[in-house]
Amino acid sequence: MRLVTHHNEDFFEAHLTEMVHLVIADPPYGRIVKKAWDQRSSDEILSTYVHLMRRLETCCVEGASCYLFGGIGKPGYRPFFTAIPLIEASTMWRMKNLITWGKKRAYGKKDNYLFTREEIGWFVLGEEPRVFNIPYLEKKRGYAGYNDKYRAKSEYLRRTNVWSDITEILNGKRHECEKPQALYDVIISTSSNPGDTVLDPMFGSGASAISAYTNDRNWIGY
């Protein structure tokens, strides 16, 4: 197992020497964090998403998965949702599902519902994913299935595209946008196998590397 970090290299300029099976990308969403790198126009953020996915086409195997983090944005500024059809129109990546990560900490205004969500677009290079290890929750379903003919394959509930069981990091972050390892554990164990190579082109805190190491995957980070 290898953990390779390229601290001073830009992924867009790098030359990878091996093919990648899974990508986890957490690019700037735009105007979420009060840092210069996140204060960009909608067009700049949109260009980053599309440029990233085009670049990933060149280094991923057929059927590779890419989990792309994003946000819903605001009226007139929704680069993540604008990027999805552009990615599908200009690359071979296809969005297989849109995952909502439901967080515990809520943000609200008096004229709106409490806001607790973050989006994760699951893209596949080609028509079908190379790997999909069915993910289950720790909670048992309590019933055998729809009926005797269609019995459940596990006594545990199967994970849906709304993830509300993973708590965000509330204190002691190493990076403003650090994600919990449990989030990476689900993605890595579902969409790759032991020995596969996981790429994080914008690795921030490096939490994805910890998960890759724990789950016996190779990891490359930029």
Side-chain angles (χ1 to χ4, degrees), residues 41-75:
S41 70
S42 179
D43 286 344
E44 288 175 315
I45 297 294
L46 180 60
S47 177
T48 298
Y49 276 124
V50 176
H51 187 193
L52 172 65
M53 299 303 279
R54 286 175 176 167
R55 175 73 178 89
L56 290 172
E57 270 190 311
T58 67
C59 61
C60 290
V61 301
E62 178 73 16
S65 286
C66 174
Y67 287 77
L68 188 65
F69 287 84
I72 68 169
K74 297 178 180 179

Side-chain angles (χ1 to χ4, degrees), residues 106-118:
Y107 300 90
K109 297 180 180 179
K110 64 180 181 180
D111 63 347
N112 206 338
Y113 298 100
L114 288 175
F115 192 90
T116 62
R117 64 189 294 161
E118 190 166 345

Side-chain angles (χ1 to χ4, degrees), residues 152-200:
K153 295 182 179 181
S154 172
E155 62 179 326
Y156 293 92
L157 288 171
R158 183 168 170 173
R159 182 172 293 280
T160 71
N161 62 355
V162 178
W163 299 357
S164 56
D165 59 318
I166 301 174
T167 303
E168 70 271 30
I169 299 173
L170 302 176
N171 297 294
K173 286 186 177 181
R174 294 168 291 181
H175 186 278
E176 297 92 339
C177 302
E178 182 178 356
K179 304 294 192 295
Q181 184 185 331
L183 197 65
Y184 294 110
D185 286 343
V186 171
I187 293 171
I188 288 175
S189 61
T190 301
S191 291
S192 68
N193 290 324
D196 283 352
T197 297
V198 179
L199 169 67
D200 187 339

